[in-house]
Amino acid sequence: MKATPGGASGKRVGAPTCPPRSMDRPAGGQAMKVINGLEDPALAAAGRIVVSIGVYDGVHLGHGAVVAALLREARRLRAVPAVLTFSPHPRGALGGAPPPLIVAEEHRLALLAARGVRLCIVLPFTRGIAAMDAAKFLRDRLLPAARVAGIVVGPGFAFGRGRRGGIRLLREAGGAHGFTVVVAGRGELGGRKVSSTAIRGLIRRGDLAGASRLLGRPYSLRGIVVRGKALGRSLGVPTANLDLPGVLRPPPGVYAARATVSGGKPRDGVLNIDCDGVVEVHLFDFSGDLYGRPMEVFPDGKIRPERRFRSRAALAERMQRDIAIARRMLHTTASKEGVPRARRGGAYE
């Protein structure tokens, strides 16, 4: 394996660069087209759409309820199910500190595609967009650019300057311009609202099993393999570094993990997250060039916290011990249909 430890490059690798393009979906499904912005003529050429508007960070169970309603309304109206999302996060464009992302942009798009969305409009979120009131955004930006047959939102939806535009405004605009408005049910688990904020809190605490429950799938980190400092390779444990710009990491430490490369079959390995946020993965019994390829990593239990070692020899010895512990953990961890389950972090010293 040629990719080795070191910091992320800081370059956004794998993000959409020129519209339109297609993103693969699981076998038997249709590809999702990704369009950057509202100006591209490919948007009007897409035909009638039913669209949902939101950041969709994490594409969690709450988002899933909205997407399910989106698909139903699109089928009813014989239109294309579409999502309009934003990049960067709106809070960052307004001058504040944006929240760390649960998933990188490319990961978010892949998750939307897997749920059945067939068109995704990635709108660059600027101060100009932020300053536009909701009615003006609909009248001057969205409706002239796309053939909107319907809009589907969650029960707490608000948009536009000061978040003053809501469901009432959408319904008034729908009556005037001839599109339907559907309000999806609230996404809940055990009677509690599912939110990106709650999931971030679980990830920060290392409760990856709890995060998985709210996500509705195993928690994972997905990024592009980039070059690092080659320290692991020099110690006989080659590792792949993941580029995860702006993505929230679990607490620093060493985790047993499973990983897929370019959507292939899961492979066992060890995940290390250092105190600087560098994410590196060692795959067992693997050799090959991974640079530039997408990798998705599923933590499967924490082996130990991150710590410093007095020498390279001590580090190398501990790395071999971590690998042995991870092999035992992964050998006894249950998987469902070959998909790794995130486990609650614990000490396996």
Side-chain angles (χ1 to χ4, degrees):
M1 190 186 310
K2 295 182 180 180
T4 49
S9 69
K11 181 181 178 182
R12 298 195 60 187
V13 183
T17 54
C18 54
R21 66 185 180 84
S22 293
M23 175 164 288
D24 289 340
R25 287 193 51 214
Q30 292 178 284
M32 183 180 79
K33 180 177 288 186
V34 180
I35 294 175
N36 287 344
L38 294 170
E39 294 75 21
D40 195 282
L43 179 54
R48 297 169 71 246
I49 67 171
V50 175
V51 64
S52 178
I53 304 170
V55 177
Y56 275 93
D57 185 26
V59 194
H60 53 60
L61 285 176
H63 297 139
V66 178
V67 172
L70 174 72
L71 298 181
R72 289 194 297 270
E73 185 68 355
R75 283 194 297 269
R76 189 182 76 83
L77 297 177
R78 297 183 180 180
V80 176
V83 163
L84 186 144
T85 188
F86 306 100
S87 180
H89 194 284
R91 205 181 302 172
L94 293 173
L101 299 173
I102 298 169
V103 296
E105 183 177 303
E106 194 79 359
H107 194 180
R108 182 187 358 158
L109 298 179
L111 291 167
L112 288 169
R115 283 190 174 272
V117 175
R118 286 182 48 205
L119 176 68
C120 190
I121 308 152
V122 181
L123 180 64
F125 197 89
T126 63
R127 287 186 176 272
I129 292 292
M132 191 176 294
D133 68 60
K136 183 175 177 61
F137 175 77
L138 289 174
R139 183 183 67 248
D140 296 349
R141 297 298 306 275
L142 179 59
L143 296 179
R147 297 170 59 192
V148 178
I151 295 179
V152 178
V153 296
F157 178 77
F159 73 117
R161 185 175 61 223
R163 294 178 58 81
R164 297 191 186 103
I167 293 167
R168 179 178 176 180
L169 172 66
L170 287 178
R171 286 177 170 155
E172 290 174 352
H177 296 280
F179 61 81
T180 66
V181 176
V182 173
V183 180
R186 186 180 299 277
E188 295 183 342
L189 184 66
R192 296 177 58 189
K193 178 185 174 182
V194 177
S195 71
S196 298
T197 300
I199 293 169
R200 290 188 194 102
L202 292 168
I203 295 170
R204 286 189 178 99
R205 295 195 296 272
D207 186 356
L208 305 186
S212 295
R213 286 191 292 272
L214 296 190
L215 288 168
R217 64 176 187 280
Y219 169 77
S220 65
L221 293 163
R222 173 170 162 160
I224 301 295
V225 177
V226 296
R227 293 184 183 275
K229 297 179 180 177
L231 175 60
R233 184 178 181 86
S234 70
L235 297 175
V237 184
T239 58
N241 278 57
L242 295 190
D243 186 26
L244 298 166
V247 175
L248 178 65
R249 277 72 157 163
V254 179
Y255 299 76
R258 292 187 170 93
T260 61
V261 179
S262 301
K265 67 178 183 179
R267 293 179 175 272
D268 291 352
V270 175
L271 164 68
N272 183 74
I273 303 172
D274 74 13
C275 294
D276 295 322
V278 174
V279 175
E280 50 191 345
V281 184
H282 169 69
L283 300 180
F284 302 154
D285 309 314
F286 177 87
S287 63
D289 188 352
L290 295 176
Y291 291 135
R293 297 176 66 183
M295 177 183 288
E296 187 168 4
V297 185
F298 301 83
D300 199 72
K302 192 171 184 179
I303 298 172
R304 61 173 175 85
E306 177 75 356
R307 65 184 179 88
R308 294 184 179 277
F309 292 86
R310 65 183 183 274
S311 66
R312 287 169 57 90
L315 172 58
E317 181 181 353
R318 181 65 230 208
M319 290 170 75
Q320 292 301 327
R321 184 179 174 192
D322 292 339
I323 288 170
I325 293 171
R327 285 185 184 274
R328 291 198 299 270
M329 290 169 60
L330 294 168
H331 181 71
T332 58
T333 298
S335 293
K336 182 179 182 181
E337 297 178 356
V339 178
R341 294 177 178 174
R343 293 173 50 177
R344 196 179 190 94
Y348 284 84
E349 292 279 11

